[in-house]
Amino acid sequence: MPQKEGKEQGRKGTVLRAERKRLTAKGRVPLNRALSKLGLLSRTQATAAVLSGRVSVWGRIVRTPATLVTPETDRIELDGHRARPTQWRTILFHKPRGVVTTRSDPEGRPTIYSVLGAAGEGLVAVGRLDFATSGLLLLTSDTQLAHWLTDPTNEIPRLYVVTVRGRVTPDAIATLSGQVTVRKASARESHVLVELREGKNRQVRRMFEDIGHEVTSLKRVKFGKLELGALAPGSHREVLHNEIVNAFPRALLREVKS
């Protein structure tokens, strides 16, 4: 009997996870994540605010951070004040090395938001680049777009310029995932282009570590059809709504009122 009950609970868990994924795909996200994506609090601060009863949805106090909401349409209030979506805005940022992709850092390291200043207010990062990685990072006020772009099922191509120690051989390249092209190789170092279609944490670094090569430089130069170009580290440019539509024709994004 216990074994049968365990199987039944397992099936229910699978159904619940599938339902949550379906709802999230439609723009519904956990409440703590919604508050973070609206630019009001960090994820940790949002979780604490929900647990302490400071957040309501349609007039009812909600104390469960995982409660699914739609940030663009649900009436969410923090300390009695309406949490409204900001005006649609997206920027393309050249993230420098030595900067973390978070709103705050317990170690006191610079963050993308401290670099951007006022230009980053109300925006959420589309995915992450790790501390030692530089390059193209999108930030947007459109939480639905951010979720769609980071969903691995949409297979958005990401292009990286990589430098590793030592000579990378064709046999080693054949064992790697993604599309990998060696531009130049010597006994000292190799310069490689890597295209991946999902953004797993430290994926490029781990790929080369697995074949015995340390990554010494990693820079993302393209995301979908958007390119970094000559944008200087620490600089950003505005990305128009039509530019996003053209770059990602299937993307789910918020309408812009004229």
Side-chain angles (χ1 to χ4, degrees):
M1 181 70 78
Q3 185 176 4
K4 185 176 180 181
E5 289 178 355
K7 288 183 178 179
E8 182 64 24
Q9 289 176 352
R11 282 194 292 269
K12 288 181 178 179
T14 301
V15 171
L16 288 172
R17 285 192 294 271
E19 178 67 5
R20 178 175 288 273
K21 184 174 181 180
R22 182 184 69 81
L23 292 172
T24 303
K26 290 187 175 182
R28 302 191 71 188
V29 297
L31 181 55
N32 59 344
R33 183 179 177 189
L35 291 166
S36 175
K37 286 186 171 295
L38 286 168
L40 300 174
L41 301 168
S42 69
R43 187 78 65 87
T44 301
Q45 291 170 334
T47 298
V50 175
L51 292 173
S52 63
R54 295 170 54 200
V55 182
S56 67
V57 180
W58 293 110
R60 297 182 63 181
I61 298 295
V62 177
R63 295 179 182 271
T64 305
T67 299
L68 291 175
V69 296
T70 306
E72 292 81 7
T73 57
D74 282 341
R75 185 181 182 87
I76 303 169
E77 294 185 353
L78 173 65
D79 296 331
H81 299 286
R82 177 80 181 269
R84 298 180 182 275
T86 56
Q87 181 181 7
W88 194 95
R89 182 166 170 258
T90 298
I91 65 172
L92 190 157
F93 175 52
H94 186 162
K95 176 195 168 297
R97 292 183 64 176
V99 173
V100 291
T101 312
T102 55
R103 291 192 179 277
S104 59
D105 182 63
E107 299 178 29
R109 296 173 296 181
T111 73
I112 57 172
Y113 293 98
S114 64
V115 174
L116 284 165
E121 291 181 5
L123 303 181
V124 296
V126 177
R128 293 172 181 259
L129 292 178
D130 67 37
F131 183 70
T133 301
S134 65
L136 191 160
L137 181 68
L138 291 179
L139 293 94
T140 183
S141 62
D142 189 336
T143 57
Q144 185 170 251
L145 172 64
H147 176 75
W148 190 91
L149 290 174
T150 53
D151 186 337
T153 62
N154 293 318
E155 298 187 329
I156 305 300
R158 300 145 165 90
L159 183 64
Y160 300 86
V161 175
V162 190
T163 303
V164 302
R165 297 190 190 280
R167 185 188 300 277
V168 178
T169 66
D171 287 344
I173 289 295
T175 68
L176 299 178
S177 59
Q179 297 182 20
V180 183
T181 305
V182 178
R183 303 168 70 189
K184 182 181 178 182
S186 68
R188 180 172 176 270
E189 64 181 21
S190 299
H191 301 267
V192 185
L193 288 177
V194 177
E195 182 181 295
L196 300 174
R197 290 185 175 267
E198 57 181 326
K200 292 181 180 178
N201 183 40
R202 297 180 61 81
Q203 183 175 5
V204 175
R205 296 182 188 278
R206 289 201 305 268
M207 283 169 50
F208 284 99
E209 286 173 3
D210 288 346
I211 60 171
H213 295 276
E214 178 190 359
V215 172
T216 58
S217 177
L218 178 58
K219 180 179 182 180
R220 184 159 70 188
V221 295
K222 194 173 182 181
F223 186 86
K225 294 181 181 179
L226 297 177
E227 298 188 27
L228 184 65
L231 195 65
S235 300
H236 73 277
R237 70 172 181 84
E238 300 289 328
V239 180
L240 299 178
H241 192 271
N242 285 343
E243 191 175 355
I244 291 292
V245 172
N246 292 332
F248 309 101
R250 297 185 297 113
L252 300 174
L253 65 165
R254 212 166 78 203
E255 292 184 4
V256 175
K257 296 179 180 179
S258 56

